[in-house]
């Protein structure tokens, strides 16, 4: 039986969907609708008690964290060319950057888009938005220095790019990408110009 991914447009389920398309994997996609209303229902909470996407199942295995899902898929479904192992010189960089996309950047970008786009204007807190903007500027500077003259974070395209590009995408669609350097902006265009990204977004 093919793995199954529960998906809502533009959410973190885009990470595993993109990877599945990169791999040309056999999978079942369950589109939960154009927004998050369907995943807040009791029916969906039977599938994922957190009421979130992604929710990925592979036989008896169920995973709901997007970065954990892409690591699982790559390790078990033919994505070794997008990963690193402990014997690779850049294994530490790989882990750092793959998890940085969510653990390092995710919280700041959540606060940023919540207080600049998601909440009704009357409920937004300018101080939180300013703080989150400053933190994201630090994260973007880190990405800029990491990229250097490379096309991708580790040189060749990897799971680290899938993890990080999604956060940049959130900033783009919420009009918070004004602080992108020329290098980061070019990097974002390279990653989102990939055929697999385009196919994933079309779904």
């Amino acid at each position: 039986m093919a793995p199954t991914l529960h998906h809502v447009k533009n959410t973190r389920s885009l990470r595993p969907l993109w990877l599945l398309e990169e791999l040309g994997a056999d999978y079942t996609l369950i589109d939960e609708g154009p927004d998050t209303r369907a995943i807040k229902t009791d029916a969906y909470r039977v599938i994922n008690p957190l009421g979130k996407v992604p929710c990925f199942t592979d036989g008896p295995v169920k995973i709901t964290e997007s970065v954990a899902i892409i690591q699982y898929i790559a390790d078990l479904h033919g994505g070794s060319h997008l990963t690193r192992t402990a014997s690779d010189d850049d294994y530490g960089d790989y882990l750092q950057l793959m998890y940085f996309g969510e653990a390092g950047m995710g919280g700041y970008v959540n606060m940023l888009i919540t207080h600049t786009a998601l909440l009704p204007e009357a409920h937004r807190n300018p101080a939180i938005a300013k703080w989150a903007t400053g933190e994201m500027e630090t994260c973007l500077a880190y990405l800029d220095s990491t990229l250097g003259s490379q096309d991708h974070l580790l040189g060749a395209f990897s799971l680290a790019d899938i993890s990080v590009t999604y956060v940049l995408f959130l900033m783009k669609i919420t009009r918070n990408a004004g602080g992108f350097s020329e290098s980061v902006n070019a990097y974002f265009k390279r990653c989102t110009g990939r055929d697999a990204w385009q196919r994933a977004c079309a779904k």
Side-chain angles (χ1 to χ4, degrees):
M1 183 176 178
T4 297
L5 176 67
H6 294 262
H7 173 61
V8 173
K9 180 181 179 181
N10 294 344
T11 66
R12 283 166 168 78
S13 53
L14 187 52
R15 281 186 177 125
L17 179 55
W18 180 10
L19 175 58
L20 289 163
E21 288 295 322
E22 287 282 350
L23 299 180
D26 181 24
Y27 68 95
T28 298
L29 183 69
I30 299 179
D31 186 347
E32 296 292 349
D35 54 46
T36 58
R37 284 177 293 182
I39 62 174
K40 301 302 181 185
T41 62
D42 290 340
Y44 182 77
R45 287 183 188 275
V46 172
I47 299 167
N48 181 4
L50 296 171
K52 303 282 187 180
V53 287
C55 183
F56 176 84
T57 58
D58 187 18
V61 175
K62 179 184 289 187
I63 312 175
T64 61
E65 292 295 328
S66 63
V67 176
I69 295 169
I70 63 173
Q71 185 170 6
Y72 176 92
I73 293 170
D75 286 346
L76 275 74
H77 291 279
S80 60
H81 60 293
L82 300 178
T83 67
R84 299 293 188 275
T85 68
S87 62
D88 293 316
D89 291 341
D90 59 353
Y91 180 61
D93 293 333
Y94 163 73
L95 293 177
Q96 160 68 17
L97 291 163
M98 180 170 60
Y99 290 111
F100 182 70
E102 189 60 35
M105 301 173 72
Y108 300 136
V109 82
N110 284 347
M111 288 295 99
L112 178 60
I113 66 177
T114 295
H115 290 279
T116 60
L118 297 182
L119 285 176
E121 192 164 354
H123 296 285
R124 297 175 190 174
N125 186 321
I128 292 178
K130 182 178 180 180
W131 168 80
T133 297
E135 295 296 333
M136 283 307 301
E137 286 174 352
T138 300
C139 291
L140 291 171
Y142 170 72
L143 291 181
D144 189 80
S145 64
T146 300
L147 279 166
S149 60
Q150 301 179 120
D151 284 346
H152 298 97
L153 292 171
L154 296 174
F157 184 77
S158 72
L159 296 191
D161 300 298
I162 290 177
S163 178
V164 166
T165 297
Y166 176 72
V167 177
L168 302 180
F169 169 71
L170 283 183
M171 296 180 73
K172 282 279 189 180
I173 63 175
T174 57
R175 300 181 181 180
N176 282 296
F180 283 18
S181 67
E182 183 177 339
S183 175
V184 169
N185 203 47
Y187 164 73
F188 177 78
K189 289 180 179 179
R190 277 193 297 276
C191 290
T192 56
R194 296 177 69 88
D195 289 344
W197 167 271
Q198 298 294 330
R199 291 194 300 271
C201 288
K203 293 185 176 184

PDB file of all heavy atoms in Angstrom, residues 91-111:
ATOM      1  N   TYR A  91      27.928  16.051   7.331  1.00  0.00           N
ATOM      2  CA  TYR A  91      26.764  15.484   8.022  1.00  0.00           C
ATOM      3  C   TYR A  91      26.216  16.448   9.081  1.00  0.00           C
ATOM      4  O   TYR A  91      25.005  16.655   9.189  1.00  0.00           O
ATOM      5  CB  TYR A  91      27.144  14.157   8.671  1.00  0.00           C
ATOM      6  CG  TYR A  91      26.021  13.471   9.412  1.00  0.00           C
ATOM      7  CD1 TYR A  91      24.863  13.072   8.746  1.00  0.00           C
ATOM      8  CD2 TYR A  91      26.133  13.201  10.787  1.00  0.00           C
ATOM      9  CE1 TYR A  91      23.835  12.428   9.423  1.00  0.00           C
ATOM     10  CE2 TYR A  91      25.107  12.552  11.467  1.00  0.00           C
ATOM     11  CZ  TYR A  91      23.963  12.169  10.782  1.00  0.00           C
ATOM     12  OH  TYR A  91      22.944  11.533  11.451  1.00  0.00           O
ATOM     13  N   GLY A  92      27.100  17.054   9.851  1.00  0.00           N
ATOM     14  CA  GLY A  92      26.661  18.010  10.867  1.00  0.00           C
ATOM     15  C   GLY A  92      25.970  19.214  10.244  1.00  0.00           C
ATOM     16  O   GLY A  92      24.944  19.689  10.754  1.00  0.00           O
ATOM     17  N   ASP A  93      26.519  19.725   9.146  1.00  0.00           N
ATOM     18  CA  ASP A  93      25.892  20.853   8.449  1.00  0.00           C
ATOM     19  C   ASP A  93      24.513  20.462   7.931  1.00  0.00           C
ATOM     20  O   ASP A  93      23.563  21.256   7.980  1.00  0.00           O
ATOM     21  CB  ASP A  93      26.772  21.302   7.279  1.00  0.00           C
ATOM     22  CG  ASP A  93      28.090  21.899   7.735  1.00  0.00           C
ATOM     23  OD1 ASP A  93      28.149  22.435   8.862  1.00  0.00           O
ATOM     24  OD2 ASP A  93      29.063  21.818   6.965  1.00  0.00           O
ATOM     25  N   TYR A  94      24.421  19.253   7.415  1.00  0.00           N
ATOM     26  CA  TYR A  94      23.147  18.742   6.899  1.00  0.00           C
ATOM     27  C   TYR A  94      22.076  18.739   7.984  1.00  0.00           C
ATOM     28  O   TYR A  94      20.969  19.255   7.797  1.00  0.00           O
ATOM     29  CB  TYR A  94      23.372  17.339   6.337  1.00  0.00           C
ATOM     30  CG  TYR A  94      22.132  16.508   6.137  1.00  0.00           C
ATOM     31  CD1 TYR A  94      21.244  16.784   5.096  1.00  0.00           C
ATOM     32  CD2 TYR A  94      21.864  15.421   6.974  1.00  0.00           C
ATOM     33  CE1 TYR A  94      20.114  15.998   4.913  1.00  0.00           C
ATOM     34  CE2 TYR A  94      20.742  14.638   6.789  1.00  0.00           C
ATOM     35  CZ  TYR A  94      19.869  14.930   5.756  1.00  0.00           C
ATOM     36  OH  TYR A  94      18.755  14.157   5.565  1.00  0.00           O
ATOM     37  N   LEU A  95      22.401  18.177   9.143  1.00  0.00           N
ATOM     38  CA  LEU A  95      21.431  18.142  10.242  1.00  0.00           C
ATOM     39  C   LEU A  95      21.077  19.545  10.707  1.00  0.00           C
ATOM     40  O   LEU A  95      19.895  19.866  10.935  1.00  0.00           O
ATOM     41  CB  LEU A  95      21.995  17.323  11.403  1.00  0.00           C
ATOM     42  CG  LEU A  95      22.182  15.828  11.175  1.00  0.00           C
ATOM     43  CD1 LEU A  95      22.811  15.189  12.405  1.00  0.00           C
ATOM     44  CD2 LEU A  95      20.863  15.149  10.840  1.00  0.00           C
ATOM     45  N   GLN A  96      22.092  20.386  10.872  1.00  0.00           N
ATOM     46  CA  GLN A  96      21.862  21.748  11.326  1.00  0.00           C
ATOM     47  C   GLN A  96      20.890  22.485  10.405  1.00  0.00           C
ATOM     48  O   GLN A  96      19.921  23.100  10.853  1.00  0.00           O
ATOM     49  CB  GLN A  96      23.197  22.503  11.390  1.00  0.00           C
ATOM     50  CG  GLN A  96      23.106  24.024  11.390  1.00  0.00           C
ATOM     51  CD  GLN A  96      22.479  24.605  12.655  1.00  0.00           C
ATOM     52  OE1 GLN A  96      22.390  23.929  13.671  1.00  0.00           O
ATOM     53  NE2 GLN A  96      22.047  25.849  12.580  1.00  0.00           N
ATOM     54  N   LEU A  97      21.138  22.410   9.108  1.00  0.00           N
ATOM     55  CA  LEU A  97      20.341  23.186   8.155  1.00  0.00           C
ATOM     56  C   LEU A  97      18.959  22.586   7.931  1.00  0.00           C
ATOM     57  O   LEU A  97      17.981  23.316   7.772  1.00  0.00           O
ATOM     58  CB  LEU A  97      21.102  23.317   6.836  1.00  0.00           C
ATOM     59  CG  LEU A  97      22.340  24.206   6.939  1.00  0.00           C
ATOM     60  CD1 LEU A  97      23.282  23.973   5.757  1.00  0.00           C
ATOM     61  CD2 LEU A  97      21.943  25.679   7.024  1.00  0.00           C
ATOM     62  N   MET A  98      18.857  21.265   7.928  1.00  0.00           N
ATOM     63  CA  MET A  98      17.555  20.639   7.753  1.00  0.00           C
ATOM     64  C   MET A  98      16.624  21.013   8.908  1.00  0.00           C
ATOM     65  O   MET A  98      15.472  21.399   8.699  1.00  0.00           O
ATOM     66  CB  MET A  98      17.686  19.122   7.654  1.00  0.00           C
ATOM     67  CG  MET A  98      16.348  18.422   7.474  1.00  0.00           C
ATOM     68  SD  MET A  98      16.503  16.667   7.082  1.00  0.00           S
ATOM     69  CE  MET A  98      17.381  16.052   8.522  1.00  0.00           C
ATOM     70  N   TYR A  99      17.135  20.946  10.135  1.00  0.00           N
ATOM     71  CA  TYR A  99      16.292  21.280  11.280  1.00  0.00           C
ATOM     72  C   TYR A  99      16.159  22.782  11.492  1.00  0.00           C
ATOM     73  O   TYR A  99      15.176  23.241  12.090  1.00  0.00           O
ATOM     74  CB  TYR A  99      16.821  20.586  12.540  1.00  0.00           C
ATOM     75  CG  TYR A  99      16.613  19.090  12.485  1.00  0.00           C
ATOM     76  CD1 TYR A  99      17.692  18.228  12.359  1.00  0.00           C
ATOM     77  CD2 TYR A  99      15.337  18.545  12.513  1.00  0.00           C
ATOM     78  CE1 TYR A  99      17.505  16.853  12.274  1.00  0.00           C
ATOM     79  CE2 TYR A  99      15.133  17.179  12.432  1.00  0.00           C
ATOM     80  CZ  TYR A  99      16.221  16.336  12.307  1.00  0.00           C
ATOM     81  OH  TYR A  99      16.024  14.982  12.220  1.00  0.00           O
ATOM     82  N   PHE A 100      17.110  23.535  10.987  1.00  0.00           N
ATOM     83  CA  PHE A 100      17.035  24.994  11.106  1.00  0.00           C
ATOM     84  C   PHE A 100      15.794  25.536  10.413  1.00  0.00           C
ATOM     85  O   PHE A 100      15.194  26.517  10.870  1.00  0.00           O
ATOM     86  CB  PHE A 100      18.296  25.624  10.502  1.00  0.00           C
ATOM     87  CG  PHE A 100      18.344  27.121  10.608  1.00  0.00           C
ATOM     88  CD1 PHE A 100      18.530  27.743  11.828  1.00  0.00           C
ATOM     89  CD2 PHE A 100      18.214  27.918   9.477  1.00  0.00           C
ATOM     90  CE1 PHE A 100      18.577  29.127  11.931  1.00  0.00           C
ATOM     91  CE2 PHE A 100      18.260  29.298   9.566  1.00  0.00           C
ATOM     92  CZ  PHE A 100      18.449  29.909  10.795  1.00  0.00           C
ATOM     93  N   GLY A 101      15.398  24.903   9.312  1.00  0.00           N
ATOM     94  CA  GLY A 101      14.223  25.369   8.580  1.00  0.00           C
ATOM     95  C   GLY A 101      12.971  25.425   9.431  1.00  0.00           C
ATOM     96  O   GLY A 101      12.115  26.288   9.225  1.00  0.00           O
ATOM     97  N   GLU A 102      12.856  24.533  10.415  1.00  0.00           N
ATOM     98  CA  GLU A 102      11.688  24.546  11.287  1.00  0.00           C
ATOM     99  C   GLU A 102      12.034  24.984  12.696  1.00  0.00           C
ATOM    100  O   GLU A 102      11.480  25.944  13.216  1.00  0.00           O
ATOM    101  CB  GLU A 102      11.029  23.165  11.309  1.00  0.00           C
ATOM    102  CG  GLU A 102       9.683  23.143  12.027  1.00  0.00           C
ATOM    103  CD  GLU A 102       8.654  24.069  11.395  1.00  0.00           C
ATOM    104  OE1 GLU A 102       8.650  24.229  10.166  1.00  0.00           O
ATOM    105  OE2 GLU A 102       7.842  24.644  12.153  1.00  0.00           O
ATOM    106  N   ALA A 103      12.986  24.295  13.324  1.00  0.00           N
ATOM    107  CA  ALA A 103      13.312  24.618  14.716  1.00  0.00           C
ATOM    108  C   ALA A 103      13.957  25.990  14.855  1.00  0.00           C
ATOM    109  O   ALA A 103      13.742  26.697  15.842  1.00  0.00           O
ATOM    110  CB  ALA A 103      14.240  23.546  15.294  1.00  0.00           C
ATOM    111  N   GLY A 104      14.757  26.391  13.866  1.00  0.00           N
ATOM    112  CA  GLY A 104      15.452  27.675  13.948  1.00  0.00           C
ATOM    113  C   GLY A 104      14.637  28.843  13.438  1.00  0.00           C
ATOM    114  O   GLY A 104      14.665  29.935  14.011  1.00  0.00           O
ATOM    115  N   MET A 105      13.900  28.632  12.344  1.00  0.00           N
ATOM    116  CA  MET A 105      13.179  29.721  11.684  1.00  0.00           C
ATOM    117  C   MET A 105      11.671  29.685  11.918  1.00  0.00           C
ATOM    118  O   MET A 105      11.007  30.719  11.866  1.00  0.00           O
ATOM    119  CB  MET A 105      13.452  29.684  10.175  1.00  0.00           C
ATOM    120  CG  MET A 105      14.915  29.805   9.801  1.00  0.00           C
ATOM    121  SD  MET A 105      15.194  29.542   8.016  1.00  0.00           S
ATOM    122  CE  MET A 105      14.519  31.055   7.337  1.00  0.00           C
ATOM    123  N   GLY A 106      11.131  28.499  12.142  1.00  0.00           N
ATOM    124  CA  GLY A 106       9.681  28.328  12.159  1.00  0.00           C
ATOM    125  C   GLY A 106       8.955  29.183  13.176  1.00  0.00           C
ATOM    126  O   GLY A 106       7.932  29.804  12.876  1.00  0.00           O
ATOM    127  N   GLY A 107       9.453  29.214  14.406  1.00  0.00           N
ATOM    128  CA  GLY A 107       8.784  29.991  15.445  1.00  0.00           C
ATOM    129  C   GLY A 107       8.760  31.476  15.142  1.00  0.00           C
ATOM    130  O   GLY A 107       7.738  32.158  15.335  1.00  0.00           O
ATOM    131  N   TYR A 108       9.878  31.982  14.648  1.00  0.00           N
ATOM    132  CA  TYR A 108       9.945  33.410  14.326  1.00  0.00           C
ATOM    133  C   TYR A 108       9.013  33.764  13.172  1.00  0.00           C
ATOM    134  O   TYR A 108       8.299  34.773  13.209  1.00  0.00           O
ATOM    135  CB  TYR A 108      11.374  33.807  13.957  1.00  0.00           C
ATOM    136  CG  TYR A 108      12.385  33.566  15.048  1.00  0.00           C
ATOM    137  CD1 TYR A 108      13.625  32.997  14.756  1.00  0.00           C
ATOM    138  CD2 TYR A 108      12.115  33.908  16.378  1.00  0.00           C
ATOM    139  CE1 TYR A 108      14.565  32.772  15.750  1.00  0.00           C
ATOM    140  CE2 TYR A 108      13.049  33.684  17.373  1.00  0.00           C
ATOM    141  CZ  TYR A 108      14.275  33.112  17.056  1.00  0.00           C
ATOM    142  OH  TYR A 108      15.202  32.893  18.038  1.00  0.00           O
ATOM    143  N   VAL A 109       9.001  32.928  12.133  1.00  0.00           N
ATOM    144  CA  VAL A 109       8.154  33.246  10.992  1.00  0.00           C
ATOM    145  C   VAL A 109       6.679  33.096  11.369  1.00  0.00           C
ATOM    146  O   VAL A 109       5.828  33.835  10.861  1.00  0.00           O
ATOM    147  CB  VAL A 109       8.529  32.397   9.757  1.00  0.00           C
ATOM    148  CG1 VAL A 109       7.908  31.016   9.799  1.00  0.00           C
ATOM    149  CG2 VAL A 109       8.117  33.107   8.470  1.00  0.00           C
ATOM    150  N   ASN A 110       6.358  32.173  12.269  1.00  0.00           N
ATOM    151  CA  ASN A 110       4.974  32.058  12.733  1.00  0.00           C
ATOM    152  C   ASN A 110       4.514  33.349  13.392  1.00  0.00           C
ATOM    153  O   ASN A 110       3.402  33.837  13.141  1.00  0.00           O
ATOM    154  CB  ASN A 110       4.834  30.899  13.724  1.00  0.00           C
ATOM    155  CG  ASN A 110       4.836  29.548  13.047  1.00  0.00           C
ATOM    156  OD1 ASN A 110       4.695  29.445  11.827  1.00  0.00           O
ATOM    157  ND2 ASN A 110       4.997  28.500  13.829  1.00  0.00           N
ATOM    158  N   MET A 111       5.354  33.892  14.263  1.00  0.00           N
ATOM    159  CA  MET A 111       5.005  35.148  14.934  1.00  0.00           C
ATOM    160  C   MET A 111       4.913  36.298  13.925  1.00  0.00           C
ATOM    161  O   MET A 111       4.015  37.151  14.004  1.00  0.00           O
ATOM    162  CB  MET A 111       6.042  35.481  16.005  1.00  0.00           C
ATOM    163  CG  MET A 111       5.986  34.595  17.230  1.00  0.00           C
ATOM    164  SD  MET A 111       4.447  34.776  18.194  1.00  0.00           S
ATOM    165  CE  MET A 111       3.526  33.347  17.588  1.00  0.00           C
TER     166      MET A 111
END
